[in-house]
Amino acid sequence: GAGELFTRYGVRSVSMDDIARQLSISKKTIYQYFKDKDEIVTKAVRARIEFEKEEYDEIFDSSHDAVEELAKVSKCMRKDFHEMNPSLLFDLQKYHPKAWAVWLDFKNKHMRDSIVTNLKRGIAEGYFREEIDPEFMAILRVEQVQLVFDNQIFPSDQFNLKETQMKLLDHYVHGIVTEKGRKLYMEYLEKEKTLNQTSNN
C-alpha cells in the first residue's frame, strides 16, 4: 500500500498518516512493525525491485529472439511508467540513502546485465549491429532510464515521464538494430497495437 502511494505521489509528499489511511489501520499499528518511514521506503523499494526482476526475467525466458525481448520490455515500461511520479528517484536519492543504494545496486547489476545479455543475443542473431559494444551500450541505456527522473533536465511540467521514457527507448532501439532487426521490431509493435485495438473493442 505504501509502495503504491510512493509511486503515484513521490516519497516525500507521502506521510505516515497517508499510509495509515491507505491501509485503513492506525499509525500506532504501523510502528509496531516498522521503526520509521525510512524503513518502509527501503522495504517498498526492495519489494518493487523483486517484482520487476520477476517481470523482466519472465520476458527474457519467454521471448523467441532479442527483438521480441525489446518489444515486450517496451510494453512493460509503458505500463510501469504510466502512473509513476517523476520525483520518485530524486526523493530516494535526497532523503532515503538506504533505499537509493538498493535502486543503484539493481540498476548497475541486474538491469545492466540483462541489457548486455540482450545485446549479445541480438548480435548473434543478426538483429543488432555487430560493431556495438554491449557493456558500453548497457551503461548508456541504464543511465538514460534514470536521466528522465532528473527534473532539471526534464522538468515535469514540460515532459511527460512515460512519453519521454518511450522516446528514449525508441531512440536506443533504432541505434542498435540492423535493417532485419528494425523490420522485426516494427512487426512486433504492430502486432501489439492490433492486439490492444482488438481488446479495447
Side-chain angles (χ1 to χ4, degrees):
E4 281 176 30
L5 290 175
F6 297 149
T7 301
R8 196 170 299 157
Y9 303 110
V11 179
R12 196 180 176 204
S13 62
V14 175
S15 67
M16 293 295 267
D17 287 312
D18 295 327
I19 296 168
R21 261 197 306 276
Q22 167 85 347
L23 300 173
S24 303
I25 56 174
S26 71
K27 219 159 52 164
K28 191 180 169 188
T29 305
I30 295 174
Y31 282 118
Q32 285 176 346
Y33 298 95
F34 299 98
K35 188 175 68 182
D36 51 25
K37 182 182 168 183
D38 191 56
E39 189 182 349
I40 294 177
V41 172
T42 305
K43 290 203 171 177
V45 168
R46 278 213 176 95
R48 176 75 197 182
I49 281 170
E50 284 311 310
F51 172 77
E52 286 197 6
K53 277 182 184 174
E54 285 175 22
E55 199 173 34
Y56 285 94
D57 286 348
E58 163 62 26
I59 285 174
F60 294 125
D61 290 342
S62 65
S63 298
H64 297 95
D65 51 66
V67 179
E68 187 179 11
E69 284 176 5
L70 281 181
K72 285 182 174 178
V73 164
S74 168
K75 179 187 175 186
C76 218
M77 284 180 75
R78 279 196 297 275
K79 175 176 63 71
D80 289 346
F81 287 116
H82 180 60
E83 287 189 335
M84 194 175 283
N85 192 294
S87 73
L88 185 64
L89 287 188
F90 174 79
D91 288 352
L92 293 184
Q93 186 176 12
K94 195 162 184 189
Y95 306 106
H96 299 280
K98 282 184 195 162
W100 177 247
V102 171
W103 156 254
L104 284 182
D105 187 62
F106 170 65
K107 182 191 83 167
N108 293 327
K109 287 182 186 168
H110 190 82
M111 272 175 75
R112 194 187 292 180
D113 288 350
S114 298
I115 294 166
V116 168
T117 303
N118 172 259
L119 286 167
K120 285 180 176 175
R121 180 181 181 181
I123 291 166
E125 292 168 341
Y127 294 122
F128 299 164
R129 290 163 40 218
E130 59 183 26
E131 67 272 23
I132 282 170
D133 177 344
E135 299 289 340
F136 171 81
M137 289 304 292
I139 292 169
L140 190 67
R141 179 66 195 129
V142 293
E143 293 307 322
Q144 275 185 343
V145 171
Q146 189 171 310
L147 188 69
V148 181
F149 288 91
D150 190 325
N151 203 49
Q152 287 186 309
I153 298 170
F154 293 105
S156 55
D157 58 344
Q158 293 175 43
F159 296 92
N160 174 279
L161 177 71
K162 185 181 88 167
E163 283 174 16
T164 309
Q165 287 286 7
M166 298 323 296
K167 281 176 187 171
L168 276 176
L169 176 65
D170 190 60
H171 182 267
Y172 164 77
V173 171
H174 284 89
I176 62 172
V177 288
T178 57
E179 184 54 26
K180 183 172 91 160
R182 189 191 67 79
K183 282 179 181 167
L184 186 59
Y185 185 68
M186 299 316 285
E187 278 173 30
Y188 278 127
L189 291 189
E190 201 52 47
K191 205 183 288 179
E192 183 59 40
K193 211 158 94 178
T194 309
L195 279 172
N196 285 341
Q197 284 168 351
T198 309
S199 61
N200 289 336
N201 290 341

